[in-house]
Amino acid sequence: MGSVDEAKEAIRLFDGSQVGGRTVKVNFPEVPRGGEREVMGPRIRRSYTSFIDSPYKIYAGNLGWRVTSEGLRDAFASQPGLLSAKVIYEKDTGRSRGFGFISFESAETVESALTAMNGVEVEGRPLRLNMAADRAPRTPLPAENSLESSELVSGVTV
């Protein structure tokens, strides 16, 4: 928008309207552009340290940018066996990456939650849920020219 008045008029006209069958939320940002890291940093660290990991996890995609770990946990609060939830944020900016994880006590409770919650709207967006797969551990790439010349020769047959 070119001015605050234009932004206010856009909010008045479009907030709550329907686009493609979805309700649009139009408002001023809570955090000034670029200030996400300062505001969200402590909340992100707290949500990561309090997450209870489990082999029974759901990947939750299509999260609204304003959904927090607490909001994600609240959305699943009625599901039996819920342990924890966390939203994943960009390291440098503190902005949500639009996905998160929810952990459960058992295979039965995670399956039940997956069935019950897939497609349920959270803050105006339908959840896209899948079973979370454990990520393979990262292995550092060998540095170029890190092998000794004797190691290179020992593998060559003449």
Side-chain angles (χ1 to χ4, degrees):
M1 304 293 124
S3 69
V4 171
D5 289 333
E6 287 179 8
K8 286 179 181 177
E9 182 64 10
I11 291 170
R12 188 185 70 73
L13 289 172
F14 299 109
D15 188 38
S17 63
Q18 293 284 314
V19 175
R22 296 171 75 175
T23 303
V24 176
K25 176 74 174 157
V26 182
N27 59 5
F28 285 104
E30 290 181 6
V31 178
R33 184 177 208 120
E36 294 92 347
R37 185 174 187 163
E38 290 77 24
V39 172
M40 294 300 292
R43 292 169 90 185
I44 293 168
R45 283 189 294 279
R46 194 170 43 251
S47 74
Y48 282 5
T49 57
S50 65
F51 183 74
I52 301 168
D53 203 2
S54 159
Y56 312 108
K57 280 190 293 247
I58 292 175
Y59 164 88
N62 198 38
L63 297 180
W65 304 118
R66 296 175 68 179
V67 174
T68 62
S69 296
E70 294 151 30
L72 186 58
R73 181 177 170 81
D74 290 346
F76 281 80
S78 66
Q79 298 304 307
L82 173 67
L83 292 176
S84 199
K86 72 176 173 182
V87 170
I88 305 301
Y89 297 92
E90 290 181 9
K91 187 176 181 180
D92 296 334
T93 66
R95 291 182 181 169
S96 169
R97 293 184 61 197
F99 69 93
F101 297 94
I102 307 96
S103 62
F104 290 86
E105 292 176 349
S106 68
E108 295 79 25
T109 57
V110 76
E111 285 289 341
S112 173
L114 183 65
T115 302
M117 297 296 291
N118 195 28
V120 170
E121 281 196 15
V122 174
E123 292 197 20
R125 298 181 68 142
L127 292 172
R128 303 283 183 247
L129 305 179
N130 290 302
M131 294 298 291
D134 283 333
R135 206 161 96 176
R138 289 185 171 180
T139 55
L141 296 174
E144 255 186 299
N145 299 327
S146 64
L147 298 175
E148 296 288 328
S149 59
S150 62
E151 293 177 88
L152 291 173
V153 173
S154 67
V156 177
T157 55
V158 183

